[in-house]
Each structure stands twice: as C-alpha cells, then as structure tokens.
Amino acid sequence: MDKIGQIDPADRRLLAAAQKNVRLTAEQLGEACGLSPTAALKRLKKLRAHGVIEREVAVIAPKTIGLDVMAVVMVTLGRENRDVVDNFKRAIRETPQIMQGFYITGDADFLLTIVAKSMDAYEEFTRDFFYDEHQIQSFKTLVVLDPIKMGQVLPIE
C-alpha cells in the first residue's frame, strides 16, 4: 500500500471521502466506499498504518485567529551545500509562522507560505528569520490578497 497503484477502488473512494471530511461516521464512510461501516473503519485503520494517511488536522481560517497577512516567499540561499540546505529545511519545519515549505527547482531554492498578524509582524519575522539566522542570498515576498484555494485535498480517481 505504499504506492497508489496498490490501492483498490474501495480504498480510493474511502480516501476521497475521508480527506474532504475526517469527521464522517463509520456509516457514512461505509456508504461512500460501498462497504459495511466495520469494513470501512478497518480499511481506514490500515491506510493510516501504512502511511497512506499521514495525519489528520483541523483547518483553521487564519484571519479568525488574527493572522491577517499571508505571503508567498521565494528564497535563494547564499550557498547551496548539503548542510546549508538541511539546516534551512529544519528551520522551516520548526517555524510555526511557515505554513508550507517547498524545496524547488528554478529561479529560487525554496518556496514558503508564511502567515503573520500584520505587515509589521511580517517585517519583524523577515529580519529574524531571513537576515539573522540563515545563509540567505535573497528572498522575494508576494503578499497574498485573496487566498482563492488552499488545502491538501488530492484528486483521487
């Protein structure tokens, strides 16, 4: 089950339903995948155990908790060697203001999604994170005006 090709159609229907609403009842899950509630729960447990389902989280609207600024940031490292990259990846994972982090190809080395309470708070974050802590050559901030679509829902066919 480590690969999507080893997952059968019932598993796919179960995953599609669960990723849209993790709070579905056993009956609803069973109905969604064409199995009994007990069979659906067993499959769900198996999918978790095999790492197909990595985690289950609550998605919170940032502005409802005072995080009014969202920015997409392209980061280019000053030096790109294993230690610098690994240390920056670790810092991304450990920094709560960074919602998403991607090691990428192209004009930048990393693409980050960052949230802050205000532009002043974002500026303070950039001073602490980009200027003081890491070997950053440059970073470019794109402030999000309207987050049209956010999420982790994968197209499962």
Side-chain angles (χ1 to χ4, degrees), residues 19-147:
Q19 75 174 342
K20 290 178 185 164
N21 184 356
V22 73
R23 296 181 67 182
L24 293 175
T25 65
E27 290 76 19
Q28 291 168 319
L29 287 170
E31 187 177 309
C33 66
L35 299 171
S36 71
T38 304
L41 289 179
K42 283 182 182 178
R43 281 182 182 244
L44 199 59
K45 184 177 179 180
K46 193 173 174 183
L47 292 165
R48 287 181 185 120
H50 283 87
V52 175
I53 297 174
E54 291 183 1
R55 60 194 161 104
E56 298 169 45
V57 299
V59 178
I60 300 167
K63 289 188 178 199
T64 66
I65 58 169
L67 297 170
D68 292 333
V69 174
M70 180 180 291
V72 176
V73 182
M74 295 182 290
V75 180
T76 303
L77 298 178
R79 285 193 347 229
E80 194 168 349
N81 66 44
R82 180 176 288 181
D83 290 339
V84 171
V85 170
D86 289 348
N87 287 336
F88 195 64
K89 285 180 179 180
R90 187 175 311 106
I92 290 169
R93 287 185 198 101
E94 294 172 355
T95 304
Q97 294 92 333
I98 300 175
M99 294 178 53
Q100 297 174 315
F102 304 97
Y103 186 36
I104 60 171
T105 63
D107 294 336
D109 298 315
F110 289 87
L111 183 66
L112 310 176
T113 303
I114 300 172
V115 291
K117 291 182 182 218
S118 64
M119 284 306 294
D120 288 340
Y122 176 73
E123 181 185 8
E124 184 178 331
F125 172 83
T126 62
R127 289 174 181 269
D128 293 342
F129 190 79
F130 295 124
Y131 297 138
D132 295 343
E133 295 292 324
H134 307 289
Q135 296 184 24
I136 305 296
Q137 176 182 324
S138 65
F139 69 96
K140 182 178 181 179
T141 298
L142 306 165
V143 176
V144 176
L145 298 175
D146 184 8

